[in-house]
Structure formats: structure tokens, C-alpha cells
Amino acid sequence: ALDNDILVVVEVNTRQTDAFGEPETFVKKQKQTHLINAAHEYIIQKELKHEVRFDIISILMNKKQTQVNHIENAFSTSH
């Protein structure tokens, strides 16, 4: 997605319970590295000059309720 001139890469994680942690806690270092590498390749292939931001959308969804949490700048390439 584009937010003004910033390319936003979004990881969406959904869980039915937070018994083992919030959904965003499942975006571990290895997943972050994969997202960073994918964004890098995309930028090269499309010859883009945008800054990049990595967001996480965390969704807790069960029969009683749905909670959505949008975390901007969840991690960076220096992570």
C-alpha cells in the first residue's frame, strides 16, 4: 500500500485467542527478515524510490468479538 510517498508493507495476523500472546508477537525475526527481503526485491523490480514502512495488523477474532490493532512502524530494516 502507499501512504503518501511511503510504501507500506503490511503483515496481517489473525488468532482466535491471545492465550499464547497477541497476534503481533508471532511476527518473529525470521518473518521480519522475509518481509524486508521481499520488499527489497519488489522495490528493485518495480524501480521504486519510495521509503518503506513495515506495519502489522493484529486481529483477535472469536465468536464473541473481533479486535483489530494496526501497529505502524512495527519493525525496521535495522531490526
Side-chain angles (χ1 to χ4, degrees):
L2 281 178
D3 182 7
N4 295 314
D5 278 343
I6 299 172
L7 176 66
V8 182
V9 178
V10 182
E11 173 69 11
V12 179
N13 274 353
T14 304
R15 297 285 185 270
Q16 291 182 344
T17 177
D18 62 357
F20 299 106
E22 299 293 327
E24 63 268 21
T25 63
F26 292 90
V27 184
K28 305 283 187 200
K29 179 80 170 161
Q30 183 178 10
K31 180 66 170 189
Q32 293 174 17
T33 300
H34 287 300
L35 291 168
I36 291 166
N37 291 339
H40 180 73
E41 289 300 318
Y42 181 80
I43 288 168
I44 290 171
Q45 287 181 10
K46 300 293 183 180
E47 298 179 358
L48 301 176
K49 302 293 182 202
H50 299 291
E51 288 184 44
V52 180
R53 185 179 85 210
F54 296 92
D55 291 5
I56 297 173
I57 295 181
S58 166
I59 303 171
L60 273 174
M61 183 171 33
N62 56 43
K63 293 178 183 179
K64 294 180 183 179
Q65 66 179 352
T66 300
Q67 292 178 279
V68 179
N69 185 19
H70 180 188
I71 304 162
E72 291 187 15
N73 286 315
F75 59 92
S76 66
T77 56
S78 63
H79 232 213

